[in-house]
Amino acid sequence: QVQLVESGGGLVQAGGSLRLSCTASGSLFSGNYLGWYRLPPGWDRQAPINQRQLVADIKDDGSTNYTESVKGRFVISRDTPRDAVYLQMNSGKPEDAGIYYCNHRRRSVRYWGQGTQVTVSS
């Protein structure tokens, strides 16, 4: 079992920055990924999990993966000793808005945080 707790969501102006944090606890075995997924506006927290869209993830070896729309603007990083993952969101755009979920993935098993709301004002 892995528990994930997010923080750092809120309101950001277009062009501004925001930093999301997530702390994991429980059994994190090697070969795991920590990442961030976004549920677009218009969906509530009861939306099917498959509506969540990958934003970025990072493996425990440091390799990263970003969705095309955030490349060059967002930076994902990881503090392995603290089992934490961060998402630095820069040059925010209205289309970045949504509920951001922290995710832990290893093989076919996934765990999710409760989500944190990000609103971008134009």
Side-chain angles (χ1 to χ4, degrees):
Q1 281 277 34
V2 175
Q3 295 78 42
L4 302 166
V5 179
E6 303 107 333
S7 62
L11 175 66
V12 60
Q13 287 190 331
S17 298
L18 198 64
R19 188 183 192 228
L20 306 183
S21 302
C22 173
T23 301
S25 60
S27 303
L28 278 76
F29 297 103
S30 63
N32 70 79
Y33 295 78
L34 288 174
W36 293 93
Y37 285 69
R38 184 180 71 94
L39 181 66
W43 294 95
D44 63 23
R45 293 174 186 267
Q46 281 69 50
I49 288 177
N50 61 11
Q51 296 301 321
R52 301 174 186 179
Q53 303 164 354
L54 174 68
V55 176
D57 63 15
I58 181 168
K59 197 176 178 184
D60 55 3
D61 65 2
S63 56
T64 58
N65 177 45
Y66 295 90
T67 193
E68 193 64 34
S69 63
V70 307
K71 287 181 180 178
R73 298 189 299 119
F74 291 11
V75 178
I76 190 169
S77 59
R78 180 170 181 155
D79 184 341
T80 299
R82 291 191 171 93
D83 289 330
V85 63
Y86 308 98
L87 185 69
Q88 179 65 42
M89 305 169 63
N90 300 317
S91 303
K93 298 180 179 180
E95 53 263 40
D96 296 329
I99 300 174
Y100 281 70
Y101 290 89
C102 184
N103 171 264
H104 171 277
R105 174 171 63 92
R106 184 176 183 270
R107 297 179 181 173
S108 62
V109 180
R110 292 177 179 267
Y111 296 95
W112 298 92
Q114 292 301 304
T116 186
Q117 181 75 49
V118 172
T119 303
V120 182
S121 64
S122 55

